[in-house]
Amino acid sequence: MAKLPAETIASILNLQARLLAGIDVAKAAEFAIFEQYGETEGTATVLEQLQNAAERLRNPYSRFYTLLLRISESQPMASSAMLNLLAQTIEQAQAALAASAASVQEAKIDWNII
């Protein structure tokens, strides 16, 4: 296995946990709005925004899974391209978490589901 520093692995696993939690929050808000207000012309946009927020988090989560698996199979070391992709994914995950949290918070406030 190509060795990654323990702190890098811990950071990625922490990000994956945060991504999962963010997906849960986005889907819970989507469900709450749907249950309370139904799917109407007025809610269609916010429901789609919440689905998009969850999708923005799902993508880096999946990339982490695939990259970590490929890096673990790399011998004797991972390629620089793979490591660069891992670094980019870390940055994208952090940005997606912030953007998604803002979208969910706005939807919760707008639809009074806090």
PDB file of all heavy atoms in Angstrom, residues 74-114:
ATOM      1  N   SER A  74      -1.883   0.964  -4.697  1.00  0.00           N
ATOM      2  CA  SER A  74      -0.701   1.424  -5.433  1.00  0.00           C
ATOM      3  C   SER A  74       0.573   0.916  -4.774  1.00  0.00           C
ATOM      4  O   SER A  74       0.716   0.966  -3.567  1.00  0.00           O
ATOM      5  CB  SER A  74      -0.660   2.954  -5.466  1.00  0.00           C
ATOM      6  OG  SER A  74      -1.754   3.471  -6.151  1.00  0.00           O
ATOM      7  N   GLN A  75       1.484   0.460  -5.594  1.00  0.00           N
ATOM      8  CA  GLN A  75       2.768  -0.032  -5.098  1.00  0.00           C
ATOM      9  C   GLN A  75       3.878   0.502  -5.982  1.00  0.00           C
ATOM     10  O   GLN A  75       3.700   0.558  -7.190  1.00  0.00           O
ATOM     11  CB  GLN A  75       2.796  -1.562  -5.105  1.00  0.00           C
ATOM     12  CG  GLN A  75       1.895  -2.212  -4.102  1.00  0.00           C
ATOM     13  CD  GLN A  75       2.233  -1.841  -2.667  1.00  0.00           C
ATOM     14  OE1 GLN A  75       3.398  -1.651  -2.319  1.00  0.00           O
ATOM     15  NE2 GLN A  75       1.216  -1.704  -1.840  1.00  0.00           N
ATOM     16  N   PRO A  76       4.977   0.871  -5.512  1.00  0.00           N
ATOM     17  CA  PRO A  76       5.294   1.062  -4.099  1.00  0.00           C
ATOM     18  C   PRO A  76       4.753   2.383  -3.561  1.00  0.00           C
ATOM     19  O   PRO A  76       4.676   2.597  -2.365  1.00  0.00           O
ATOM     20  CB  PRO A  76       6.816   1.046  -4.056  1.00  0.00           C
ATOM     21  CG  PRO A  76       7.223   1.592  -5.394  1.00  0.00           C
ATOM     22  CD  PRO A  76       6.150   1.117  -6.362  1.00  0.00           C
ATOM     23  N   MET A  77       4.350   3.289  -4.496  1.00  0.00           N
ATOM     24  CA  MET A  77       3.791   4.560  -4.038  1.00  0.00           C
ATOM     25  C   MET A  77       2.748   5.053  -5.032  1.00  0.00           C
ATOM     26  O   MET A  77       2.741   4.637  -6.193  1.00  0.00           O
ATOM     27  CB  MET A  77       4.888   5.608  -3.832  1.00  0.00           C
ATOM     28  CG  MET A  77       5.750   5.863  -5.038  1.00  0.00           C
ATOM     29  SD  MET A  77       7.225   6.854  -4.724  1.00  0.00           S
ATOM     30  CE  MET A  77       6.621   8.205  -3.802  1.00  0.00           C
ATOM     31  N   ALA A  78       1.888   5.916  -4.551  1.00  0.00           N
ATOM     32  CA  ALA A  78       0.843   6.470  -5.405  1.00  0.00           C
ATOM     33  C   ALA A  78       1.446   7.484  -6.371  1.00  0.00           C
ATOM     34  O   ALA A  78       2.442   8.144  -6.070  1.00  0.00           O
ATOM     35  CB  ALA A  78      -0.221   7.141  -4.542  1.00  0.00           C
ATOM     36  N   SER A  79       0.835   7.594  -7.534  1.00  0.00           N
ATOM     37  CA  SER A  79       1.320   8.548  -8.530  1.00  0.00           C
ATOM     38  C   SER A  79       1.053   9.974  -8.056  1.00  0.00           C
ATOM     39  O   SER A  79       0.149  10.232  -7.252  1.00  0.00           O
ATOM     40  CB  SER A  79       0.622   8.315  -9.871  1.00  0.00           C
ATOM     41  OG  SER A  79      -0.741   8.692  -9.770  1.00  0.00           O
ATOM     42  N   SER A  80       1.833  10.892  -8.574  1.00  0.00           N
ATOM     43  CA  SER A  80       1.639  12.298  -8.203  1.00  0.00           C
ATOM     44  C   SER A  80       0.280  12.790  -8.683  1.00  0.00           C
ATOM     45  O   SER A  80      -0.349  13.612  -8.014  1.00  0.00           O
ATOM     46  CB  SER A  80       2.761  13.166  -8.751  1.00  0.00           C
ATOM     47  OG  SER A  80       2.796  13.113 -10.158  1.00  0.00           O
ATOM     48  N   ALA A  81      -0.194  12.281  -9.813  1.00  0.00           N
ATOM     49  CA  ALA A  81      -1.513  12.672 -10.313  1.00  0.00           C
ATOM     50  C   ALA A  81      -2.609  12.253  -9.332  1.00  0.00           C
ATOM     51  O   ALA A  81      -3.538  13.022  -9.061  1.00  0.00           O
ATOM     52  CB  ALA A  81      -1.759  12.054 -11.679  1.00  0.00           C
ATOM     53  N   MET A  82      -2.487  11.057  -8.783  1.00  0.00           N
ATOM     54  CA  MET A  82      -3.471  10.572  -7.824  1.00  0.00           C
ATOM     55  C   MET A  82      -3.420  11.394  -6.531  1.00  0.00           C
ATOM     56  O   MET A  82      -4.457  11.740  -5.966  1.00  0.00           O
ATOM     57  CB  MET A  82      -3.239   9.089  -7.530  1.00  0.00           C
ATOM     58  CG  MET A  82      -4.467   8.388  -7.011  1.00  0.00           C
ATOM     59  SD  MET A  82      -4.244   6.611  -6.769  1.00  0.00           S
ATOM     60  CE  MET A  82      -3.708   6.065  -8.360  1.00  0.00           C
ATOM     61  N   LEU A  83      -2.229  11.714  -6.090  1.00  0.00           N
ATOM     62  CA  LEU A  83      -2.084  12.530  -4.881  1.00  0.00           C
ATOM     63  C   LEU A  83      -2.594  13.953  -5.098  1.00  0.00           C
ATOM     64  O   LEU A  83      -3.199  14.545  -4.201  1.00  0.00           O
ATOM     65  CB  LEU A  83      -0.625  12.539  -4.418  1.00  0.00           C
ATOM     66  CG  LEU A  83      -0.084  11.176  -3.961  1.00  0.00           C
ATOM     67  CD1 LEU A  83       1.391  11.275  -3.644  1.00  0.00           C
ATOM     68  CD2 LEU A  83      -0.874  10.632  -2.780  1.00  0.00           C
ATOM     69  N   ASN A  84      -2.381  14.492  -6.293  1.00  0.00           N
ATOM     70  CA  ASN A  84      -2.922  15.814  -6.619  1.00  0.00           C
ATOM     71  C   ASN A  84      -4.449  15.785  -6.633  1.00  0.00           C
ATOM     72  O   ASN A  84      -5.098  16.714  -6.149  1.00  0.00           O
ATOM     73  CB  ASN A  84      -2.393  16.313  -7.967  1.00  0.00           C
ATOM     74  CG  ASN A  84      -0.946  16.728  -7.910  1.00  0.00           C
ATOM     75  OD1 ASN A  84      -0.423  17.062  -6.847  1.00  0.00           O
ATOM     76  ND2 ASN A  84      -0.280  16.704  -9.050  1.00  0.00           N
ATOM     77  N   LEU A  85      -5.003  14.722  -7.181  1.00  0.00           N
ATOM     78  CA  LEU A  85      -6.460  14.579  -7.198  1.00  0.00           C
ATOM     79  C   LEU A  85      -7.007  14.470  -5.777  1.00  0.00           C
ATOM     80  O   LEU A  85      -8.054  15.040  -5.451  1.00  0.00           O
ATOM     81  CB  LEU A  85      -6.867  13.364  -8.032  1.00  0.00           C
ATOM     82  CG  LEU A  85      -8.365  13.156  -8.259  1.00  0.00           C
ATOM     83  CD1 LEU A  85      -9.018  14.393  -8.864  1.00  0.00           C
ATOM     84  CD2 LEU A  85      -8.591  11.954  -9.158  1.00  0.00           C
ATOM     85  N   LEU A  86      -6.276  13.785  -4.919  1.00  0.00           N
ATOM     86  CA  LEU A  86      -6.680  13.678  -3.518  1.00  0.00           C
ATOM     87  C   LEU A  86      -6.677  15.057  -2.860  1.00  0.00           C
ATOM     88  O   LEU A  86      -7.628  15.429  -2.163  1.00  0.00           O
ATOM     89  CB  LEU A  86      -5.763  12.720  -2.767  1.00  0.00           C
ATOM     90  CG  LEU A  86      -6.103  12.471  -1.306  1.00  0.00           C
ATOM     91  CD1 LEU A  86      -7.479  11.836  -1.153  1.00  0.00           C
ATOM     92  CD2 LEU A  86      -5.043  11.577  -0.672  1.00  0.00           C
ATOM     93  N   ALA A  87      -5.643  15.836  -3.096  1.00  0.00           N
ATOM     94  CA  ALA A  87      -5.556  17.190  -2.529  1.00  0.00           C
ATOM     95  C   ALA A  87      -6.684  18.076  -3.056  1.00  0.00           C
ATOM     96  O   ALA A  87      -7.304  18.827  -2.292  1.00  0.00           O
ATOM     97  CB  ALA A  87      -4.200  17.813  -2.843  1.00  0.00           C
ATOM     98  N   GLN A  88      -6.978  17.979  -4.337  1.00  0.00           N
ATOM     99  CA  GLN A  88      -8.077  18.744  -4.923  1.00  0.00           C
ATOM    100  C   GLN A  88      -9.411  18.331  -4.321  1.00  0.00           C
ATOM    101  O   GLN A  88     -10.270  19.182  -4.044  1.00  0.00           O
ATOM    102  CB  GLN A  88      -8.130  18.545  -6.438  1.00  0.00           C
ATOM    103  CG  GLN A  88      -7.023  19.205  -7.196  1.00  0.00           C
ATOM    104  CD  GLN A  88      -7.048  18.844  -8.682  1.00  0.00           C
ATOM    105  OE1 GLN A  88      -7.885  18.060  -9.140  1.00  0.00           O
ATOM    106  NE2 GLN A  88      -6.124  19.409  -9.429  1.00  0.00           N
ATOM    107  N   THR A  89      -9.582  17.047  -4.105  1.00  0.00           N
ATOM    108  CA  THR A  89     -10.827  16.546  -3.536  1.00  0.00           C
ATOM    109  C   THR A  89     -11.010  17.036  -2.106  1.00  0.00           C
ATOM    110  O   THR A  89     -12.130  17.370  -1.699  1.00  0.00           O
ATOM    111  CB  THR A  89     -10.880  15.005  -3.615  1.00  0.00           C
ATOM    112  OG1 THR A  89     -10.728  14.609  -4.984  1.00  0.00           O
ATOM    113  CG2 THR A  89     -12.199  14.461  -3.091  1.00  0.00           C
ATOM    114  N   ILE A  90      -9.928  17.113  -1.354  1.00  0.00           N
ATOM    115  CA  ILE A  90     -10.005  17.650   0.010  1.00  0.00           C
ATOM    116  C   ILE A  90     -10.486  19.102  -0.043  1.00  0.00           C
ATOM    117  O   ILE A  90     -11.408  19.487   0.690  1.00  0.00           O
ATOM    118  CB  ILE A  90      -8.646  17.533   0.723  1.00  0.00           C
ATOM    119  CG1 ILE A  90      -8.346  16.063   1.038  1.00  0.00           C
ATOM    120  CG2 ILE A  90      -8.624  18.375   2.001  1.00  0.00           C
ATOM    121  CD1 ILE A  90      -6.935  15.797   1.521  1.00  0.00           C
ATOM    122  N   GLU A  91      -9.910  19.893  -0.916  1.00  0.00           N
ATOM    123  CA  GLU A  91     -10.324  21.294  -1.051  1.00  0.00           C
ATOM    124  C   GLU A  91     -11.775  21.403  -1.498  1.00  0.00           C
ATOM    125  O   GLU A  91     -12.538  22.222  -0.967  1.00  0.00           O
ATOM    126  CB  GLU A  91      -9.416  22.021  -2.041  1.00  0.00           C
ATOM    127  CG  GLU A  91      -8.013  22.264  -1.542  1.00  0.00           C
ATOM    128  CD  GLU A  91      -7.134  22.929  -2.585  1.00  0.00           C
ATOM    129  OE1 GLU A  91      -7.669  23.547  -3.533  1.00  0.00           O
ATOM    130  OE2 GLU A  91      -5.903  22.839  -2.446  1.00  0.00           O
ATOM    131  N   GLN A  92     -12.167  20.598  -2.476  1.00  0.00           N
ATOM    132  CA  GLN A  92     -13.539  20.633  -2.984  1.00  0.00           C
ATOM    133  C   GLN A  92     -14.540  20.190  -1.913  1.00  0.00           C
ATOM    134  O   GLN A  92     -15.621  20.765  -1.807  1.00  0.00           O
ATOM    135  CB  GLN A  92     -13.670  19.751  -4.225  1.00  0.00           C
ATOM    136  CG  GLN A  92     -12.946  20.311  -5.426  1.00  0.00           C
ATOM    137  CD  GLN A  92     -12.834  19.314  -6.575  1.00  0.00           C
ATOM    138  OE1 GLN A  92     -13.201  18.146  -6.445  1.00  0.00           O
ATOM    139  NE2 GLN A  92     -12.319  19.772  -7.698  1.00  0.00           N
ATOM    140  N   ALA A  93     -14.160  19.211  -1.124  1.00  0.00           N
ATOM    141  CA  ALA A  93     -15.051  18.732  -0.062  1.00  0.00           C
ATOM    142  C   ALA A  93     -15.278  19.829   0.971  1.00  0.00           C
ATOM    143  O   ALA A  93     -16.410  20.047   1.413  1.00  0.00           O
ATOM    144  CB  ALA A  93     -14.464  17.486   0.601  1.00  0.00           C
ATOM    145  N   GLN A  94     -14.216  20.525   1.339  1.00  0.00           N
ATOM    146  CA  GLN A  94     -14.341  21.606   2.318  1.00  0.00           C
ATOM    147  C   GLN A  94     -15.233  22.726   1.781  1.00  0.00           C
ATOM    148  O   GLN A  94     -16.096  23.244   2.494  1.00  0.00           O
ATOM    149  CB  GLN A  94     -12.962  22.128   2.712  1.00  0.00           C
ATOM    150  CG  GLN A  94     -12.164  21.113   3.491  1.00  0.00           C
ATOM    151  CD  GLN A  94     -10.697  21.465   3.634  1.00  0.00           C
ATOM    152  OE1 GLN A  94     -10.132  22.194   2.812  1.00  0.00           O
ATOM    153  NE2 GLN A  94     -10.069  20.940   4.672  1.00  0.00           N
ATOM    154  N   ALA A  95     -15.056  23.072   0.515  1.00  0.00           N
ATOM    155  CA  ALA A  95     -15.889  24.115  -0.098  1.00  0.00           C
ATOM    156  C   ALA A  95     -17.341  23.653  -0.216  1.00  0.00           C
ATOM    157  O   ALA A  95     -18.271  24.421   0.041  1.00  0.00           O
ATOM    158  CB  ALA A  95     -15.336  24.482  -1.474  1.00  0.00           C
ATOM    159  N   ALA A  96     -17.529  22.390  -0.594  1.00  0.00           N
ATOM    160  CA  ALA A  96     -18.890  21.855  -0.733  1.00  0.00           C
ATOM    161  C   ALA A  96     -19.605  21.823   0.615  1.00  0.00           C
ATOM    162  O   ALA A  96     -20.802  22.108   0.688  1.00  0.00           O
ATOM    163  CB  ALA A  96     -18.842  20.456  -1.346  1.00  0.00           C
ATOM    164  N   LEU A  97     -18.872  21.491   1.672  1.00  0.00           N
ATOM    165  CA  LEU A  97     -19.477  21.489   3.007  1.00  0.00           C
ATOM    166  C   LEU A  97     -19.975  22.881   3.381  1.00  0.00           C
ATOM    167  O   LEU A  97     -21.090  23.032   3.880  1.00  0.00           O
ATOM    168  CB  LEU A  97     -18.474  20.986   4.047  1.00  0.00           C
ATOM    169  CG  LEU A  97     -18.306  19.477   4.116  1.00  0.00           C
ATOM    170  CD1 LEU A  97     -17.035  19.117   4.862  1.00  0.00           C
ATOM    171  CD2 LEU A  97     -19.523  18.836   4.764  1.00  0.00           C
ATOM    172  N   ALA A  98     -19.170  23.886   3.132  1.00  0.00           N
ATOM    173  CA  ALA A  98     -19.563  25.259   3.468  1.00  0.00           C
ATOM    174  C   ALA A  98     -20.758  25.710   2.631  1.00  0.00           C
ATOM    175  O   ALA A  98     -21.726  26.276   3.167  1.00  0.00           O
ATOM    176  CB  ALA A  98     -18.387  26.206   3.271  1.00  0.00           C
ATOM    177  N   ALA A  99     -20.712  25.458   1.331  1.00  0.00           N
ATOM    178  CA  ALA A  99     -21.801  25.873   0.445  1.00  0.00           C
ATOM    179  C   ALA A  99     -23.096  25.146   0.774  1.00  0.00           C
ATOM    180  O   ALA A  99     -24.176  25.744   0.810  1.00  0.00           O
ATOM    181  CB  ALA A  99     -21.412  25.635  -1.012  1.00  0.00           C
ATOM    182  N   SER A 100     -22.995  23.861   1.017  1.00  0.00           N
ATOM    183  CA  SER A 100     -24.174  23.068   1.327  1.00  0.00           C
ATOM    184  C   SER A 100     -24.799  23.506   2.646  1.00  0.00           C
ATOM    185  O   SER A 100     -26.023  23.649   2.759  1.00  0.00           O
ATOM    186  CB  SER A 100     -23.816  21.579   1.384  1.00  0.00           C
ATOM    187  OG  SER A 100     -24.949  20.820   1.678  1.00  0.00           O
ATOM    188  N   ALA A 101     -23.965  23.734   3.650  1.00  0.00           N
ATOM    189  CA  ALA A 101     -24.476  24.177   4.951  1.00  0.00           C
ATOM    190  C   ALA A 101     -25.215  25.505   4.817  1.00  0.00           C
ATOM    191  O   ALA A 101     -26.277  25.697   5.423  1.00  0.00           O
ATOM    192  CB  ALA A 101     -23.334  24.290   5.957  1.00  0.00           C
ATOM    193  N   ALA A 102     -24.681  26.411   4.012  1.00  0.00           N
ATOM    194  CA  ALA A 102     -25.338  27.705   3.804  1.00  0.00           C
ATOM    195  C   ALA A 102     -26.682  27.525   3.100  1.00  0.00           C
ATOM    196  O   ALA A 102     -27.681  28.150   3.487  1.00  0.00           O
ATOM    197  CB  ALA A 102     -24.433  28.629   2.998  1.00  0.00           C
ATOM    198  N   SER A 103     -26.739  26.666   2.089  1.00  0.00           N
ATOM    199  CA  SER A 103     -27.984  26.414   1.361  1.00  0.00           C
ATOM    200  C   SER A 103     -29.046  25.810   2.273  1.00  0.00           C
ATOM    201  O   SER A 103     -30.212  26.208   2.237  1.00  0.00           O
ATOM    202  CB  SER A 103     -27.742  25.466   0.179  1.00  0.00           C
ATOM    203  OG  SER A 103     -26.915  26.057  -0.770  1.00  0.00           O
ATOM    204  N   VAL A 104     -28.638  24.846   3.076  1.00  0.00           N
ATOM    205  CA  VAL A 104     -29.587  24.181   3.977  1.00  0.00           C
ATOM    206  C   VAL A 104     -30.083  25.161   5.036  1.00  0.00           C
ATOM    207  O   VAL A 104     -31.282  25.220   5.317  1.00  0.00           O
ATOM    208  CB  VAL A 104     -28.952  22.925   4.621  1.00  0.00           C
ATOM    209  CG1 VAL A 104     -29.845  22.361   5.710  1.00  0.00           C
ATOM    210  CG2 VAL A 104     -28.665  21.877   3.553  1.00  0.00           C
ATOM    211  N   GLN A 105     -29.183  25.935   5.593  1.00  0.00           N
ATOM    212  CA  GLN A 105     -29.566  26.906   6.618  1.00  0.00           C
ATOM    213  C   GLN A 105     -30.554  27.922   6.049  1.00  0.00           C
ATOM    214  O   GLN A 105     -31.546  28.267   6.691  1.00  0.00           O
ATOM    215  CB  GLN A 105     -28.331  27.610   7.191  1.00  0.00           C
ATOM    216  CG  GLN A 105     -28.635  28.514   8.347  1.00  0.00           C
ATOM    217  CD  GLN A 105     -29.162  27.754   9.567  1.00  0.00           C
ATOM    218  OE1 GLN A 105     -28.964  26.554   9.701  1.00  0.00           O
ATOM    219  NE2 GLN A 105     -29.848  28.463  10.428  1.00  0.00           N
ATOM    220  N   GLU A 106     -30.287  28.400   4.852  1.00  0.00           N
ATOM    221  CA  GLU A 106     -31.184  29.358   4.205  1.00  0.00           C
ATOM    222  C   GLU A 106     -32.564  28.743   3.973  1.00  0.00           C
ATOM    223  O   GLU A 106     -33.583  29.380   4.238  1.00  0.00           O
ATOM    224  CB  GLU A 106     -30.578  29.814   2.877  1.00  0.00           C
ATOM    225  CG  GLU A 106     -31.431  30.819   2.132  1.00  0.00           C
ATOM    226  CD  GLU A 106     -30.829  31.216   0.791  1.00  0.00           C
ATOM    227  OE1 GLU A 106     -29.637  30.974   0.553  1.00  0.00           O
ATOM    228  OE2 GLU A 106     -31.568  31.778  -0.024  1.00  0.00           O
ATOM    229  N   ALA A 107     -32.601  27.515   3.503  1.00  0.00           N
ATOM    230  CA  ALA A 107     -33.879  26.848   3.256  1.00  0.00           C
ATOM    231  C   ALA A 107     -34.651  26.665   4.560  1.00  0.00           C
ATOM    232  O   ALA A 107     -35.875  26.879   4.615  1.00  0.00           O
ATOM    233  CB  ALA A 107     -33.653  25.496   2.584  1.00  0.00           C
ATOM    234  N   LYS A 108     -33.954  26.274   5.604  1.00  0.00           N
ATOM    235  CA  LYS A 108     -34.610  26.081   6.902  1.00  0.00           C
ATOM    236  C   LYS A 108     -35.213  27.388   7.418  1.00  0.00           C
ATOM    237  O   LYS A 108     -36.325  27.402   7.937  1.00  0.00           O
ATOM    238  CB  LYS A 108     -33.624  25.529   7.937  1.00  0.00           C
ATOM    239  CG  LYS A 108     -33.283  24.079   7.741  1.00  0.00           C
ATOM    240  CD  LYS A 108     -32.273  23.672   8.814  1.00  0.00           C
ATOM    241  CE  LYS A 108     -32.109  22.193   8.928  1.00  0.00           C
ATOM    242  NZ  LYS A 108     -31.207  21.821  10.030  1.00  0.00           N
ATOM    243  N   ILE A 109     -34.466  28.469   7.276  1.00  0.00           N
ATOM    244  CA  ILE A 109     -34.960  29.766   7.732  1.00  0.00           C
ATOM    245  C   ILE A 109     -36.146  30.208   6.870  1.00  0.00           C
ATOM    246  O   ILE A 109     -37.196  30.617   7.394  1.00  0.00           O
ATOM    247  CB  ILE A 109     -33.834  30.820   7.725  1.00  0.00           C
ATOM    248  CG1 ILE A 109     -32.821  30.494   8.822  1.00  0.00           C
ATOM    249  CG2 ILE A 109     -34.390  32.230   7.889  1.00  0.00           C
ATOM    250  CD1 ILE A 109     -31.532  31.305   8.733  1.00  0.00           C
ATOM    251  N   ASP A 110     -35.987  30.119   5.546  1.00  0.00           N
ATOM    252  CA  ASP A 110     -37.036  30.553   4.630  1.00  0.00           C
ATOM    253  C   ASP A 110     -38.344  29.793   4.829  1.00  0.00           C
ATOM    254  O   ASP A 110     -39.420  30.355   4.664  1.00  0.00           O
ATOM    255  CB  ASP A 110     -36.583  30.417   3.177  1.00  0.00           C
ATOM    256  CG  ASP A 110     -35.510  31.428   2.785  1.00  0.00           C
ATOM    257  OD1 ASP A 110     -35.244  32.361   3.579  1.00  0.00           O
ATOM    258  OD2 ASP A 110     -34.923  31.257   1.695  1.00  0.00           O
ATOM    259  N   TRP A 111     -38.244  28.514   5.174  1.00  0.00           N
ATOM    260  CA  TRP A 111     -39.439  27.674   5.289  1.00  0.00           C
ATOM    261  C   TRP A 111     -39.775  27.362   6.750  1.00  0.00           C
ATOM    262  O   TRP A 111     -40.612  26.522   7.025  1.00  0.00           O
ATOM    263  CB  TRP A 111     -39.271  26.398   4.460  1.00  0.00           C
ATOM    264  CG  TRP A 111     -39.282  26.747   2.994  1.00  0.00           C
ATOM    265  CD1 TRP A 111     -38.221  27.058   2.213  1.00  0.00           C
ATOM    266  CD2 TRP A 111     -40.443  26.885   2.187  1.00  0.00           C
ATOM    267  NE1 TRP A 111     -38.644  27.356   0.949  1.00  0.00           N
ATOM    268  CE2 TRP A 111     -39.995  27.248   0.898  1.00  0.00           C
ATOM    269  CE3 TRP A 111     -41.801  26.714   2.403  1.00  0.00           C
ATOM    270  CZ2 TRP A 111     -40.877  27.473  -0.154  1.00  0.00           C
ATOM    271  CZ3 TRP A 111     -42.678  26.930   1.350  1.00  0.00           C
ATOM    272  CH2 TRP A 111     -42.209  27.304   0.085  1.00  0.00           C
ATOM    273  N   ASN A 112     -39.096  28.047   7.648  1.00  0.00           N
ATOM    274  CA  ASN A 112     -39.405  27.969   9.084  1.00  0.00           C
ATOM    275  C   ASN A 112     -39.413  26.517   9.601  1.00  0.00           C
ATOM    276  O   ASN A 112     -40.373  26.083  10.249  1.00  0.00           O
ATOM    277  CB  ASN A 112     -40.735  28.664   9.376  1.00  0.00           C
ATOM    278  CG  ASN A 112     -40.896  28.988  10.841  1.00  0.00           C
ATOM    279  OD1 ASN A 112     -39.909  29.187  11.547  1.00  0.00           O
ATOM    280  ND2 ASN A 112     -42.125  29.033  11.307  1.00  0.00           N
ATOM    281  N   ILE A 113     -38.344  25.811   9.332  1.00  0.00           N
ATOM    282  CA  ILE A 113     -38.259  24.426   9.807  1.00  0.00           C
ATOM    283  C   ILE A 113     -37.078  24.216  10.746  1.00  0.00           C
ATOM    284  O   ILE A 113     -36.623  23.107  10.948  1.00  0.00           O
ATOM    285  CB  ILE A 113     -38.189  23.408   8.646  1.00  0.00           C
ATOM    286  CG1 ILE A 113     -36.974  23.660   7.770  1.00  0.00           C
ATOM    287  CG2 ILE A 113     -39.454  23.406   7.841  1.00  0.00           C
ATOM    288  CD1 ILE A 113     -36.643  22.511   6.864  1.00  0.00           C
ATOM    289  N   ILE A 114     -36.608  25.299  11.329  1.00  0.00           N
ATOM    290  CA  ILE A 114     -35.453  25.185  12.245  1.00  0.00           C
ATOM    291  C   ILE A 114     -35.833  24.494  13.507  1.00  0.00           C
ATOM    292  O   ILE A 114     -36.771  24.424  14.095  1.00  0.00           O
ATOM    293  CB  ILE A 114     -34.845  26.559  12.508  1.00  0.00           C
ATOM    294  CG1 ILE A 114     -34.195  27.021  11.235  1.00  0.00           C
ATOM    295  CG2 ILE A 114     -33.855  26.522  13.643  1.00  0.00           C
ATOM    296  CD1 ILE A 114     -33.529  28.367  11.294  1.00  0.00           C
TER     297      ILE A 114
END
